[in-house]
Amino acid sequence: MRTVVLENEHLRAVFLPDKGSDLVELFDKARGIDLAWRSPMGRRAAVPGGAPDPVAAFLDTYPGGWQEVLPNGGAPCHYRGAELSQHGEVSGVPWAYQMIEEGVIFTVETARFPLRVTKTVRLRGRGLEFAEELANLAPVEIEAMWGQHITFGEPFLAPGHRIRLPSGVTVLPHETAIHPAGRRVLPGRGTWPVVAAVAEGTTDLSVVPERGGPSDIVYLHGASWYEITAPDGHGLRVDWDASVLPYLWLWQELGATVDYPWWGRAYVLGLEPFSSYPTDGLAEAVRNGTALRLDPYERRTLEWSAHLLGGLS
């Protein structure tokens, strides 16, 4: 696969334009550590011999790291005559790209929806700055889910790491458990970070749990930035335009899934700004009124950034 590397004295960022423009490495040079999660499946362009499966279409080639998600978030669905796979479809196709000073411009058009994404990425100091444009190419209104599937894993991620958000953030747990063994958080609206727990009492969502805990997903509303840090303060801050992406998905897979696709090998935390929720696909986001709506030929812009935290010692 073609590879684009943006690098300076502080940071190395590696993108795969042949695989959704995925960011598959975010290397902090001062500490010699990669903050992006690496999936145990590795980097694959395709998986020969696999049975057709709209979930596996994403998972079998999922390298970890960060993905652009459009026009469907989460589970496969059927909407306005189009069959959409898991997190389909821009994360699974090649993007065109052009190198520019301090960065790169990625571009893609979707096949099943009339949408085009233009994404400019610049490496500035200890961070990445993203400027994106989503264009509706049709003379009709289009609904979509648009998100940034940002994940963190080992060796950076460890139990006890902290997640910091603005005050007053609302917690919306997924309606049902996403794993047969149960969940961490009780259903029902709460306030970040302490919410009602399934076992008893409460649980603090701002603390990264130990390996082996239950898989779970909650949706956070009211944030436009987050920080995820180790005990010594190093980590990452992500800022985004919450008028475009008003929800933050917090996904945890801590090793509880011992069958496909993780086989007990995943210890990963997702902190994913999204236009909509839940992870049940576009049709459900349209039903609950959170889908992103684009007027005929409308263009929507999005700016977001990710910067290293902690000193340069």
Side-chain angles (χ1 to χ4, degrees), residues 15 48 69 81 88 90-91 115 118 120 178 217 229 231 237 252 267 269:
F15 299 85
V69 174
V90 300
S91 63
L115 298 171
T118 304
T120 302
I178 64 171
I217 187 166
T229 57
R237 178 182 172 106
Q252 295 176 157
Y267 182 77
L269 174 76

Side-chain angles (χ1 to χ4, degrees), residues 53-55 57 70-72 75-89 111-113 282-283:
D53 183 324
V55 174
L70 181 84
N72 184 54
C77 76
H78 179 90
Y79 189 65
R80 293 179 68 173
E83 293 289 344
L84 300 172
S85 63
Q86 179 87 9
H87 289 322
E89 62 184 286
R112 299 193 176 184
F113 271 44
L282 174 58

Side-chain angles (χ1 to χ4, degrees), residues 5-311:
V5 180
L6 303 183
E7 185 170 16
N8 63 16
E9 66 271 29
H10 305 296
L11 187 63
R12 181 171 65 247
V14 178
F15 299 85
L16 301 179
D18 283 337
K19 167 59 180 71
S21 75
D22 290 6
L23 184 153
V24 292
E25 181 181 322
L26 189 69
F27 191 80
D28 180 347
K29 291 186 175 183
R31 291 178 172 79
I33 194 168
D34 186 3
L35 280 75
W37 181 56
R38 295 190 179 187
S39 165
M41 278 86 83
R43 301 176 189 175
R44 297 171 175 166
V47 179
D53 183 324
V55 174
F58 175 80
L59 291 173
D60 285 354
T61 59
Y62 173 42
W66 304 4
Q67 287 73 38
E68 193 91 21
V69 174
L70 181 84
N72 184 54
C77 76
H78 179 90
Y79 189 65
R80 293 179 68 173
E83 293 289 344
L84 300 172
S85 63
Q86 179 87 9
H87 289 322
E89 62 184 286
V90 300
S91 63
V93 297
W95 292 46
Y97 74 94
Q98 175 187 356
M99 302 305 299
I100 58 173
E101 186 176 356
E102 296 185 315
V104 58
I105 301 175
F106 295 106
T107 307
V108 72
E109 290 188 11
T110 56
R112 299 193 176 184
F113 271 44
L115 298 171
R116 180 179 62 235
V117 181
T118 304
K119 174 167 59 179
T120 302
V121 189
R122 286 187 168 89
L123 178 58
R124 297 253 172 88
R126 302 182 70 225
L128 293 171
E129 297 180 359
F130 298 80
E132 304 199 40
E133 180 188 82
L134 174 61
N136 177 4
L137 306 179
V140 296
E141 183 184 69
I142 298 294
E143 301 88 0
M145 297 178 79
W146 192 14
Q148 304 300 328
H149 191 273
I150 299 172
T151 60
F152 301 92
E154 297 171 320
F156 164 68
L157 190 71
H161 279 36
R162 292 276 180 170
I163 303 165
R164 193 164 76 90
L165 296 174
S167 61
V169 169
T170 299
V171 180
L172 305 167
H174 193 64
E175 287 189 0
T176 59
I178 64 171
H179 190 273
R183 62 193 304 175
R184 179 182 175 194
V185 177
L186 276 178
R189 186 182 297 257
T191 302
W192 177 271
V194 178
V195 295
V198 167
E200 59 179 347
T202 59
T203 187
D204 187 347
L205 293 175
S206 70
V207 181
V208 176
E210 296 285 340
R211 178 180 286 275
S215 308
D216 214 343
I217 187 166
V218 301
Y219 313 102
L220 309 174
H221 187 259
S224 61
W225 60 267
Y226 66 77
E227 295 177 351
I228 178 166
T229 57
D232 66 359
H234 82 270
L236 196 74
R237 178 182 172 106
V238 176
D239 293 82
W240 69 95
D241 183 350
S243 69
V244 181
L245 308 181
Y247 297 94
L248 178 66
W249 296 13
L250 193 165
W251 167 56
Q252 295 176 157
E253 174 52 57
L254 308 172
T257 301
V258 296
D259 300 321
Y260 178 83
W262 309 125
W263 305 103
R265 299 185 295 172
Y267 182 77
V268 55
L269 174 76
L271 286 166
E272 309 164 23
F274 257 88
S275 64
S276 325
Y277 81 99
T279 185
D280 293 329
L282 174 58
E284 181 60 23
V286 171
R287 188 196 67 78
N288 71 16
T290 64
L292 181 69
R293 295 184 182 273
L294 296 167
D295 290 333
Y297 301 116
E298 182 182 357
R299 299 186 178 199
R300 192 76 60 92
T301 59
L302 169 67
E303 293 188 357
W304 63 285
S305 63
H307 290 88
L308 295 174
L309 296 174

